[in-house]
Short mmCIF file of all heavy atoms in Angstrom, two decimals:
data_model
loop_
_atom_site.label_atom_id
_atom_site.label_comp_id
_atom_site.label_asym_id
_atom_site.label_seq_id
_atom_site.Cartn_x
_atom_site.Cartn_y
_atom_site.Cartn_z
N MET A 9 -184.12 137.55 189.96
CA MET A 9 -185.22 137.47 190.91
C MET A 9 -185.93 138.82 190.98
O MET A 9 -185.30 139.85 191.27
CB MET A 9 -184.69 137.12 192.31
CG MET A 9 -184.00 135.77 192.38
SD MET A 9 -185.19 134.41 192.30
CE MET A 9 -184.23 133.17 191.39
N VAL A 10 -187.23 138.82 190.70
CA VAL A 10 -188.04 140.04 190.80
C VAL A 10 -188.97 139.85 191.99
O VAL A 10 -190.05 139.25 191.88
CB VAL A 10 -188.83 140.31 189.52
CG1 VAL A 10 -189.65 141.59 189.65
CG2 VAL A 10 -187.89 140.39 188.32
N ASN A 11 -188.55 140.30 193.16
CA ASN A 11 -189.29 140.11 194.40
C ASN A 11 -190.07 141.38 194.72
O ASN A 11 -189.51 142.48 194.72
CB ASN A 11 -188.34 139.80 195.55
CG ASN A 11 -187.64 138.47 195.38
OD1 ASN A 11 -188.07 137.62 194.61
ND2 ASN A 11 -186.55 138.28 196.10
N VAL A 12 -191.36 141.21 195.02
CA VAL A 12 -192.21 142.36 195.34
C VAL A 12 -192.82 142.12 196.72
O VAL A 12 -193.91 141.54 196.85
CB VAL A 12 -193.31 142.56 194.28
CG1 VAL A 12 -194.12 143.82 194.57
CG2 VAL A 12 -192.70 142.63 192.88
N PRO A 13 -192.14 142.52 197.80
CA PRO A 13 -192.70 142.38 199.14
C PRO A 13 -193.77 143.45 199.38
O PRO A 13 -193.60 144.60 198.98
CB PRO A 13 -191.49 142.58 200.05
CG PRO A 13 -190.52 143.36 199.26
CD PRO A 13 -190.77 143.08 197.81
N VAL A 14 -194.86 143.05 200.02
CA VAL A 14 -195.95 143.99 200.30
C VAL A 14 -196.36 143.84 201.77
O VAL A 14 -196.24 142.76 202.35
CB VAL A 14 -197.18 143.77 199.40
CG1 VAL A 14 -196.82 144.00 197.94
CG2 VAL A 14 -197.77 142.38 199.57
N PRO A 15 -196.83 144.92 202.40
CA PRO A 15 -197.22 144.82 203.81
C PRO A 15 -198.53 144.07 204.00
O PRO A 15 -199.33 143.92 203.06
CB PRO A 15 -197.35 146.29 204.22
CG PRO A 15 -197.65 147.03 202.96
CD PRO A 15 -196.92 146.29 201.88
N ALA A 16 -198.75 143.61 205.22
CA ALA A 16 -200.02 142.97 205.57
C ALA A 16 -201.18 143.88 205.21
O ALA A 16 -201.07 145.11 205.24
CB ALA A 16 -200.04 142.65 207.06
N TYR A 17 -202.29 143.26 204.84
CA TYR A 17 -203.57 143.91 204.53
C TYR A 17 -203.57 144.62 203.17
O TYR A 17 -204.50 145.35 202.86
CB TYR A 17 -204.00 144.86 205.66
CG TYR A 17 -203.96 144.17 207.00
CD1 TYR A 17 -203.02 144.49 207.96
CD2 TYR A 17 -204.84 143.11 207.27
CE1 TYR A 17 -202.95 143.82 209.17
CE2 TYR A 17 -204.79 142.43 208.48
CZ TYR A 17 -203.84 142.79 209.42
OH TYR A 17 -203.78 142.11 210.62
N THR A 18 -202.54 144.39 202.35
CA THR A 18 -202.57 144.90 200.99
C THR A 18 -203.68 144.19 200.21
O THR A 18 -203.81 142.97 200.27
CB THR A 18 -201.22 144.68 200.30
OG1 THR A 18 -200.19 145.30 201.07
CG2 THR A 18 -201.22 145.27 198.90
N LYS A 19 -204.45 144.95 199.46
CA LYS A 19 -205.59 144.39 198.73
C LYS A 19 -205.26 144.18 197.26
O LYS A 19 -204.21 144.60 196.76
CB LYS A 19 -206.81 145.29 198.89
CG LYS A 19 -207.32 145.32 200.32
CD LYS A 19 -208.60 146.13 200.45
CE LYS A 19 -209.13 146.10 201.88
NZ LYS A 19 -210.36 146.91 202.04
N GLY A 20 -206.20 143.56 196.58
CA GLY A 20 -205.97 143.12 195.22
C GLY A 20 -205.65 144.22 194.23
O GLY A 20 -204.82 144.04 193.34
N ASP A 21 -206.31 145.38 194.35
CA ASP A 21 -206.07 146.43 193.37
C ASP A 21 -204.63 146.93 193.45
O ASP A 21 -203.99 147.20 192.42
CB ASP A 21 -207.06 147.58 193.56
CG ASP A 21 -207.02 148.20 194.95
OD1 ASP A 21 -206.55 147.54 195.90
OD2 ASP A 21 -207.48 149.35 195.10
N VAL A 22 -204.09 147.02 194.65
CA VAL A 22 -202.70 147.45 194.82
C VAL A 22 -201.76 146.38 194.27
O VAL A 22 -200.77 146.69 193.57
CB VAL A 22 -202.40 147.73 196.30
CG1 VAL A 22 -200.92 148.06 196.50
CG2 VAL A 22 -203.28 148.88 196.81
N ILE A 23 -202.04 145.13 194.57
CA ILE A 23 -201.19 144.04 194.08
C ILE A 23 -201.21 143.97 192.56
O ILE A 23 -200.17 143.78 191.91
CB ILE A 23 -201.62 142.71 194.73
CG1 ILE A 23 -201.15 142.71 196.20
CG2 ILE A 23 -201.08 141.51 193.97
CD1 ILE A 23 -201.59 141.53 197.02
N ARG A 24 -202.37 144.18 191.95
CA ARG A 24 -202.43 144.18 190.48
C ARG A 24 -201.53 145.28 189.91
O ARG A 24 -200.81 145.07 188.92
CB ARG A 24 -203.86 144.38 190.01
CG ARG A 24 -204.79 143.22 190.33
CD ARG A 24 -206.13 143.39 189.65
NE ARG A 24 -207.16 142.51 190.19
CZ ARG A 24 -208.30 142.22 189.57
NH1 ARG A 24 -208.55 142.76 188.38
NH2 ARG A 24 -209.19 141.42 190.13
N GLY A 25 -201.57 146.46 190.52
CA GLY A 25 -200.74 147.56 190.05
C GLY A 25 -199.26 147.25 190.18
O GLY A 25 -198.46 147.57 189.28
N LEU A 26 -198.87 146.62 191.28
CA LEU A 26 -197.46 146.27 191.49
C LEU A 26 -197.01 145.19 190.51
O LEU A 26 -195.86 145.21 190.03
CB LEU A 26 -197.25 145.79 192.92
CG LEU A 26 -197.37 146.88 194.00
CD1 LEU A 26 -197.43 146.27 195.38
CD2 LEU A 26 -196.21 147.87 193.89
N ILE A 27 -197.89 144.27 190.19
CA ILE A 27 -197.56 143.24 189.20
C ILE A 27 -197.35 143.88 187.83
O ILE A 27 -196.38 143.57 187.12
CB ILE A 27 -198.67 142.17 189.15
CG1 ILE A 27 -198.58 141.28 190.40
CG2 ILE A 27 -198.60 141.33 187.88
CD1 ILE A 27 -199.74 140.33 190.58
N GLU A 28 -198.23 144.79 187.45
CA GLU A 28 -198.08 145.46 186.14
C GLU A 28 -196.77 146.24 186.08
O GLU A 28 -196.07 146.23 185.05
CB GLU A 28 -199.26 146.41 185.90
CG GLU A 28 -200.58 145.71 185.63
CD GLU A 28 -200.64 145.03 184.27
OE1 GLU A 28 -199.65 145.09 183.50
OE2 GLU A 28 -201.67 144.41 183.97
N LYS A 29 -196.41 146.85 187.17
CA LYS A 29 -195.22 147.69 187.20
C LYS A 29 -193.93 146.88 187.28
O LYS A 29 -192.92 147.23 186.63
CB LYS A 29 -195.29 148.66 188.39
CG LYS A 29 -194.07 149.56 188.53
CD LYS A 29 -194.21 150.46 189.76
CE LYS A 29 -192.96 151.32 189.94
NZ LYS A 29 -193.07 152.18 191.15
N ASN A 30 -193.94 145.80 188.05
CA ASN A 30 -192.70 145.08 188.36
C ASN A 30 -192.51 143.78 187.59
O ASN A 30 -191.41 143.49 187.11
CB ASN A 30 -192.63 144.80 189.86
CG ASN A 30 -192.51 146.05 190.69
OD1 ASN A 30 -191.43 146.62 190.82
ND2 ASN A 30 -193.62 146.52 191.25
N TRP A 31 -193.58 142.96 187.49
CA TRP A 31 -193.44 141.68 186.82
C TRP A 31 -193.45 141.80 185.31
O TRP A 31 -192.60 141.23 184.62
CB TRP A 31 -194.59 140.74 187.19
CG TRP A 31 -194.62 140.17 188.55
CD1 TRP A 31 -193.80 140.45 189.61
CD2 TRP A 31 -195.58 139.20 189.00
NE1 TRP A 31 -194.19 139.71 190.69
CE2 TRP A 31 -195.26 138.94 190.35
CE3 TRP A 31 -196.64 138.54 188.40
CZ2 TRP A 31 -196.00 138.03 191.12
CZ3 TRP A 31 -197.38 137.64 189.15
CH2 TRP A 31 -197.06 137.38 190.49
N MET A 32 -194.46 142.51 184.80
CA MET A 32 -194.75 142.41 183.38
C MET A 32 -193.61 142.90 182.49
O MET A 32 -193.28 142.23 181.49
CB MET A 32 -196.07 143.11 183.06
CG MET A 32 -197.27 142.58 183.84
SD MET A 32 -197.41 140.77 183.88
CE MET A 32 -197.70 140.42 182.15
N PRO A 33 -192.96 144.02 182.79
CA PRO A 33 -191.85 144.43 181.93
C PRO A 33 -190.72 143.41 181.89
O PRO A 33 -190.12 143.17 180.84
CB PRO A 33 -191.38 145.76 182.56
CG PRO A 33 -192.57 146.26 183.32
CD PRO A 33 -193.25 145.04 183.83
N ARG A 34 -190.42 142.80 183.04
CA ARG A 34 -189.34 141.81 183.08
C ARG A 34 -189.72 140.53 182.31
O ARG A 34 -188.89 139.94 181.62
CB ARG A 34 -188.96 141.47 184.52
CG ARG A 34 -188.22 142.59 185.24
CD ARG A 34 -186.84 142.87 184.64
NE ARG A 34 -185.96 141.70 184.67
CZ ARG A 34 -185.20 141.36 185.70
NH1 ARG A 34 -185.21 142.10 186.83
NH2 ARG A 34 -184.42 140.30 185.64
N LEU A 35 -190.97 140.09 182.45
CA LEU A 35 -191.41 138.93 181.70
C LEU A 35 -191.39 139.21 180.20
O LEU A 35 -190.96 138.36 179.41
CB LEU A 35 -192.82 138.52 182.15
CG LEU A 35 -192.91 137.86 183.53
CD1 LEU A 35 -194.36 137.80 183.99
CD2 LEU A 35 -192.30 136.46 183.53
N GLU A 36 -191.83 140.38 179.79
CA GLU A 36 -191.80 140.75 178.38
C GLU A 36 -190.37 140.78 177.85
O GLU A 36 -190.09 140.32 176.74
CB GLU A 36 -192.47 142.12 178.19
CG GLU A 36 -193.97 142.13 178.40
CD GLU A 36 -194.73 141.68 177.16
OE1 GLU A 36 -194.12 141.59 176.08
OE2 GLU A 36 -195.95 141.43 177.26
N GLU A 37 -189.48 141.33 178.64
CA GLU A 37 -188.08 141.41 178.24
C GLU A 37 -187.43 140.03 178.14
O GLU A 37 -186.62 139.75 177.25
CB GLU A 37 -187.32 142.28 179.23
CG GLU A 37 -185.83 142.41 178.98
CD GLU A 37 -185.10 143.15 180.10
OE1 GLU A 37 -185.67 143.27 181.21
OE2 GLU A 37 -183.97 143.57 179.86
N PHE A 38 -187.80 139.15 179.07
CA PHE A 38 -187.19 137.82 179.16
C PHE A 38 -187.68 136.88 178.06
O PHE A 38 -186.95 136.00 177.61
CB PHE A 38 -187.50 137.23 180.54
CG PHE A 38 -186.78 135.95 180.86
CD1 PHE A 38 -185.40 135.93 180.99
CD2 PHE A 38 -187.48 134.77 181.05
CE1 PHE A 38 -184.73 134.75 181.32
CE2 PHE A 38 -186.83 133.59 181.37
CZ PHE A 38 -185.45 133.58 181.50
N LYS A 39 -188.94 137.03 177.64
CA LYS A 39 -189.54 136.19 176.59
C LYS A 39 -189.42 134.69 176.93
O LYS A 39 -188.76 133.91 176.22
CB LYS A 39 -188.91 136.47 175.23
CG LYS A 39 -189.09 137.91 174.75
CD LYS A 39 -188.42 138.14 173.42
CE LYS A 39 -188.70 139.53 172.88
NZ LYS A 39 -188.25 140.62 173.77
N PRO A 40 -190.06 134.25 177.99
CA PRO A 40 -189.89 132.85 178.43
C PRO A 40 -190.44 131.86 177.41
O PRO A 40 -191.44 132.12 176.73
CB PRO A 40 -190.70 132.80 179.73
CG PRO A 40 -191.72 133.88 179.58
CD PRO A 40 -191.03 134.97 178.83
N GLU A 41 -189.79 130.71 177.34
CA GLU A 41 -190.27 129.63 176.47
C GLU A 41 -191.23 128.69 177.20
O GLU A 41 -191.91 127.87 176.55
CB GLU A 41 -189.07 128.84 175.95
CG GLU A 41 -188.14 129.67 175.08
CD GLU A 41 -186.84 128.95 174.77
OE1 GLU A 41 -186.07 128.66 175.71
OE2 GLU A 41 -186.62 128.65 173.59
N MET A 42 -191.28 128.78 178.51
CA MET A 42 -192.26 128.07 179.33
C MET A 42 -192.39 128.83 180.63
O MET A 42 -191.43 129.46 181.10
CB MET A 42 -191.83 126.62 179.59
CG MET A 42 -192.75 125.85 180.54
SD MET A 42 -192.31 124.09 180.72
CE MET A 42 -193.27 123.41 179.37
N ILE A 43 -193.60 128.79 181.21
CA ILE A 43 -193.84 129.46 182.48
C ILE A 43 -194.33 128.43 183.50
O ILE A 43 -195.24 127.65 183.22
CB ILE A 43 -194.88 130.59 182.34
CG1 ILE A 43 -194.39 131.64 181.34
CG2 ILE A 43 -195.16 131.23 183.71
CD1 ILE A 43 -195.39 132.75 181.07
N PHE A 44 -193.71 128.45 184.67
CA PHE A 44 -194.16 127.66 185.81
C PHE A 44 -194.83 128.60 186.80
O PHE A 44 -194.41 129.75 186.96
CB PHE A 44 -192.99 126.96 186.49
CG PHE A 44 -192.38 125.85 185.68
CD1 PHE A 44 -191.45 126.14 184.70
CD2 PHE A 44 -192.75 124.54 185.89
CE1 PHE A 44 -190.89 125.12 183.93
CE2 PHE A 44 -192.19 123.51 185.14
CZ PHE A 44 -191.26 123.81 184.15
N ILE A 45 -195.85 128.10 187.48
CA ILE A 45 -196.53 128.88 188.52
C ILE A 45 -196.45 128.13 189.83
O ILE A 45 -196.86 126.96 189.92
CB ILE A 45 -198.01 129.15 188.17
CG1 ILE A 45 -198.13 129.86 186.82
CG2 ILE A 45 -198.67 129.98 189.27
CD1 ILE A 45 -199.58 130.05 186.36
N SER A 46 -195.87 128.77 190.84
CA SER A 46 -196.01 128.30 192.22
C SER A 46 -197.31 128.90 192.74
O SER A 46 -197.37 130.05 193.18
CB SER A 46 -194.81 128.74 193.06
OG SER A 46 -193.76 127.83 192.95
#
């Protein structure tokens, strides 16, 4: 589980940076065969 909690009023530019830092390396490492989106 890669959970990225953020405080209220966080804007898109900050969220994009956190996604690049936290999600993308793990997704690249995992190499999924299918992706689901909630």
Side-chain angles (χ1 to χ4, degrees):
M9 298 287 146
V10 181
N11 294 342
V12 185
V14 298
Y17 309 110
T18 303
K19 293 185 178 178
D21 58 339
V22 175
I23 286 175
R24 293 189 195 198
L26 290 168
I27 286 171
E28 290 289 0
K29 178 182 178 181
N30 294 280
W31 288 6
M32 303 313 295
R34 289 294 301 274
L35 288 167
E36 290 277 347
E37 177 187 17
F38 188 66
K39 299 178 175 59
E41 297 170 296
M42 175 175 271
I43 300 176
F44 290 83
I45 303 176
S46 274

